[in-house]
Amino acid sequence: ATMAIAAAFPSSVYYGAIFPISIVVAAMLLALVCVDRQRWLLAGCCGAFAAVVYPSGVVIGVVALVPLLSSVVGDARSRVRAAALVGVPIAVGYALVLANFQRATGYWNAWFKTQSSYDFDRTFPLETVARQIGHLGDDVIPGVIGVQTMLVMVMVVAAGYVVVSRRHDLSLGERGAALVVAMLWVIPLTLGGDLSLYRAESLLLPVVVLLVRLRAWLLTGLAVVCIVVGYEMAQLFFDNILI
């Protein structure tokens, strides 16, 4: 059932599009696997790749906190070393992206200048969720967009329940997934993310790492809803209503 959710994940149409979302999601998942197996440098390299191929990929750097805060990794010195092996390659990878912006355009913050043209504004996350849900029944903006946002919120809340209820026996990979999902979900919402919020939601695939701990009947229900919503969303892309 969890694999069915992954196969029909919200906005999974992007996984087959020209956007590098499939690449960054794969790199993030690989980084989480490496963290789970305590392959710190390899996790950092996978994270660096994610940071290079897509702007949101730099968020994977938060997984460096996992070994730093986990006593199972060893003493304080071992934890700091592990965190550095994960975080430094990611930081270096993103620094190279900024250096390339400087080389190509003369502005290291060229991407941020581009984003400013979209008039993003600081917004309370739940306000953005409410605005998306408000699209339900809207003739201009398809209501299924709001349905998808509700579905994603349900999955994130369910993952949060797993984190709280099983906090003592979560694996390192699950802890990393919790941090990454939280960041990838909240950050776009604080930008007022009406513009292609559904694209940002496609990056939340690592949430299934946590959802697998839920009861089978609940996962089956989520899978059915994902399939229905995914089909409706895909139609909007194929009809050139969404991009």
Side-chain angles (χ1 to χ4, degrees):
T2 310
M3 290 302 294
I5 294 174
F9 199 76
S11 287
S12 55
V13 66
Y14 279 114
Y15 302 154
I18 60 173
F19 292 91
I21 289 178
S22 58
I23 301 176
V24 71
V25 168
M28 288 192 296
L29 289 171
L30 283 172
L32 292 174
V33 170
C34 292
V35 165
D36 197 56
R37 298 180 180 181
Q38 300 190 31
R39 301 288 298 276
W40 309 124
L41 182 57
L42 190 55
C45 291
C46 292
F49 187 72
V52 167
V53 299
Y54 197 70
S56 300
V58 71
V59 170
I60 193 65
V62 74
V63 300
L65 293 175
V66 174
L68 187 63
L69 302 176
S70 302
S71 58
V72 296
V73 174
D75 58 19
R77 183 175 180 180
S78 298
R79 295 200 298 271
V80 170
R81 178 178 179 275
L85 289 173
V86 175
V88 171
I90 298 173
V92 171
Y94 196 65
L96 290 175
V97 171
L98 300 182
N100 188 53
F101 288 157
Q102 179 69 35
R103 177 197 64 81
T105 69
Y107 297 94
W108 66 269
N109 59 343
W111 183 77
F112 302 99
K113 288 179 175 292
T114 300
Q115 295 303 299
S116 65
S117 65
Y118 292 114
D119 297 322
F120 289 142
D121 192 16
R122 294 177 183 175
T123 307
F124 184 64
L126 292 182
E127 181 182 340
T128 303
V129 172
R131 188 160 57 247
Q132 288 292 104
I133 295 175
H135 293 330
L136 292 173
D138 196 321
D139 292 333
V140 178
I141 302 178
V144 70
I145 294 177
V147 174
Q148 175 171 293
T149 294
M150 290 178 62
L151 173 61
V152 168
M153 184 173 65
V154 167
M155 288 195 287
V156 171
V157 170
Y161 167 77
V162 169
V163 171
V164 172
S165 63
R166 305 296 293 273
R167 58 186 178 278
H168 297 300
D169 61 343
L170 290 176
S171 69
L172 295 177
E174 288 173 322
R175 295 176 188 179
L179 292 173
V180 171
V181 169
M183 294 287 287
L184 287 174
W185 184 59
V186 171
I187 290 176
L189 295 179
T190 62
L191 299 176
D194 280 330
L195 181 65
S196 301
L197 181 61
Y198 44 83
R199 187 186 306 166
E201 290 168 343
S202 68
L203 295 171
L204 295 173
L205 184 63
V207 75
V208 300
V209 173
L210 297 164
L211 295 181
V212 72
R213 285 183 177 263
L214 297 175
R215 294 183 180 277
W217 64 267
L218 181 55
L219 290 173
T220 301
L222 285 174
V224 171
V225 176
C226 282
I227 291 170
V228 174
V229 172
Y231 175 81
E232 294 295 331
M233 287 291 290
Q235 288 296 317
L236 296 177
F237 284 101
F238 297 147
D239 293 339
N240 293 321
I241 296 175
L242 300 178
I243 58 173

